[in-house]
Amino acid sequence: MKKLLCIVGARPNFMKIAPIMRALREDAPGIEAKLVHTGQHYDYAMNEAFFLQLEIPAPDISLEVGSGSHAQQTAEIMKRFETVVDAEQPDCVLVVGDVNSTIACALVAAKKGIRVVHVEAGLRSRDRSMPEEINRILTDQLSDRLYVTEREAIGNLRAEGIAEERVVFAGNVMIDTLLHSLPRAIAARHTIEQACALAGSEKDADTFLRADRGYAVLTLHRPSNVDDPTVLVNLLTVLEQQCQELPLVFPVHPRTRAKISEAGCGPFLENSRVLALPPIGYLEMLGLMKEARVVLTDSGGLQEETTALGVPCLTLRENTERPITIEQGTNTLVGVEPDRIRLALTNIAEQAMSPRQPEYWDGAAAQRICRDLAEWLR
């Protein structure tokens, strides 16, 4: 029996780890897997909601690291995870994605001579101002087995000197979760009506649910978009203009809400055609995206999910680490230039899209990973 520690730390990890834990139970009888939650995402009520909705087992070990700067958080995860590694003596550590927990736990394991597995390896934006890009590059260099979501990632890893025999094209575990969860997605009408009821007379659900026009979903969280007041104000200005044509449903990250207030843009959230929600669960978000006319986002995961759903996506960034969502999907890079955003939204009104399924985005990526992992560990 081989012992595996699976790491989860922040909300983007949850959708990636869920199908892996399920497949380990069903397809890898020779592996004893324990789930370690670093607590990098420290909203425990929201954590619990995600774990329940995604059917993730309760963590075997919780590090409860909490917030901090990138350096503080990464260092604290390393300190606490080293104690876990010493106590558990695992044969392997599995990390997913590109958050601080990913690089921190990979680094601890590698320095102790423990094999590292990276799920969602090889993605590159070519933008090293993104903390996630640094995490991706370093984690891949430390990893012994690298599972990629798209073929272009293999070339990225080859260019960085990583031997191809360490790389396996397994597919996209995010899409495993989406397809598994889609029948249980919470209808957009329910989420919107509930939010409008809480807002009282200030918001009218019919504004967002009219069949003739529909609504757009907006998410913003990247520091490049929310930390620079000039960029943020320009973005919100054009979105406020456009919401007269297409109302916005906006799940607002607490940090983003604070930045909007600091920039003097609080009235944007009070606009009758902007429905500002607190952070919501995965099934609620899935329902909102599934029924949206378009999604505007700076999130990597949403670029993939909208491709699988066949929903147009406008990415408010100048680059993406997921080029397949542009080449084979429904994603368009529009950056933060107001005129590009306006033009893209105008074009969306004339487009009809259907779900896209790039190679191995078929709901079986986790099974492929776990079968290969069991054989590799033997």
Side-chain angles (χ1 to χ4, degrees):
M1 183 71 72
K2 298 294 185 180
K3 181 181 282 190
L4 174 68
L5 295 183
C6 299
I7 311 303
V8 66
R11 195 175 304 167
N13 292 164
F14 299 161
M15 289 78 83
K16 297 163 191 171
I17 207 69
I20 293 171
M21 298 305 296
R22 189 164 55 247
L24 284 169
R25 291 195 303 270
E26 297 170 358
D27 297 333
I31 297 176
E32 177 194 356
K34 288 191 174 183
L35 184 61
V36 179
H37 190 343
T38 67
Q40 176 183 331
H41 178 184
Y42 50 91
D43 183 338
Y44 291 104
M46 186 57 70
N47 277 355
E48 186 176 0
F50 267 75
F51 271 60
L52 286 172
Q53 290 187 351
L54 298 175
E55 302 170 340
I56 304 171
D60 297 285
I61 300 163
S62 295
L63 303 185
E64 299 183 0
V65 168
S67 63
S69 70
H70 285 283
Q72 291 168 334
Q73 194 173 65
T74 303
E76 193 61 35
I77 294 168
M78 291 179 68
K79 285 165 57 180
R80 298 189 188 195
F81 184 59
E82 183 176 46
T83 302
V84 171
V85 169
D86 290 342
E88 296 290 334
Q89 293 294 303
D91 297 287
C92 184
V93 169
L94 181 148
V95 297
V96 297
D98 54 19
V99 300
N100 288 341
S101 297
T102 306
I103 180 59
C105 293
L107 189 54
V108 169
K111 288 204 170 213
K112 287 185 168 289
I114 295 165
R115 286 178 286 184
V116 176
V117 169
H118 187 201
V119 175
E120 200 184 72
L123 298 180
R124 297 291 183 268
S125 68
R126 320 293 178 198
D127 180 2
R128 293 204 180 191
S129 70
M130 294 175 63
E132 296 89 346
E133 184 78 350
I134 303 300
N135 292 344
R136 293 179 201 118
I137 292 168
L138 296 180
T139 301
D140 286 342
Q141 288 295 329
L142 296 171
S143 296
D144 301 280
R145 200 70 167 170
L146 301 96
Y147 294 105
V148 302
T149 62
E150 55 188 80
R151 290 195 181 275
E152 185 167 324
I154 301 172
N156 293 337
L157 295 170
R158 184 191 305 120
E160 293 171 9
I162 293 173
E164 286 198 36
E165 58 265 25
R166 291 160 56 190
V167 181
V168 178
F169 177 33
N172 194 331
V173 291
M174 286 275 286
I175 306 307
D176 288 13
T177 292
L178 184 146
L179 295 176
H180 179 77
S181 303
L182 202 52
R184 298 180 293 118
I186 294 171
R189 175 172 292 276
H190 177 272
T191 302
I192 289 171
E193 287 181 343
Q194 187 176 55
C196 288
L198 290 173
S201 60
E202 299 173 11
K203 310 283 181 177
D204 179 5
D206 286 343
T207 299
F208 305 91
L209 294 170
R210 286 185 305 175
D212 60 328
R213 296 291 299 176
Y215 61 88
V217 169
L218 170 67
T219 76
L220 284 175
H221 76 281
R222 298 256 173 215
S224 58
N225 282 339
V226 302
D227 287 4
D228 184 331
T230 301
V231 172
L232 182 58
V233 168
N234 285 341
L235 271 174
L236 296 183
T237 298
V238 69
L239 291 172
E240 188 165 35
Q241 295 165 354
Q242 294 299 304
C243 77
Q244 300 310 309
E245 295 294 325
L246 194 63
L248 295 173
V249 179
F250 184 13
V252 191
H253 190 283
R255 186 171 178 277
T256 301
R257 187 181 288 271
K259 293 295 183 181
I260 289 173
S261 178
E262 291 171 15
C265 294
F268 174 81
L269 301 178
E270 305 304 321
N271 189 306
S272 63
R273 297 180 64 81
V274 176
L275 183 58
L277 307 178
I280 58 176
Y282 179 75
L283 297 180
E284 289 86 353
M285 189 64 183
L286 188 54
L288 284 177
M289 287 194 296
K290 176 172 165 291
E291 299 178 41
R293 185 70 194 85
V294 61
V295 172
L296 299 102
T297 186
D298 55 13
S299 162
L302 266 60
Q303 296 171 48
E304 296 178 330
E305 290 167 337
T306 48
T307 285
L309 291 169
V311 174
C313 177
L314 302 182
T315 296
L316 304 171
R317 289 165 45 188
E318 298 295 340
N319 54 59
T320 179
E321 64 282 358
R322 292 164 167 86
I324 198 169
T325 64
I326 298 173
E327 297 156 6
Q328 299 183 31
T330 62
N331 183 27
T332 303
L333 281 181
V334 296
V336 295
E337 172 58 41
D339 287 343
R340 288 168 62 189
I341 296 170
R342 290 189 192 96
L343 178 61
L345 282 170
T346 299
N347 291 339
I348 286 298
E350 303 168 0
Q351 293 179 350
M353 292 189 175
S354 58
R356 313 292 172 88
Q357 185 179 308
E359 187 179 8
Y360 280 178
W361 289 30
D362 56 1
Q367 284 91 339
R368 284 188 285 270
I369 288 170
C370 291
R371 286 195 294 267
D372 177 82
L373 183 59
E375 181 64 28
W376 179 68
L377 285 174
R378 278 198 296 271

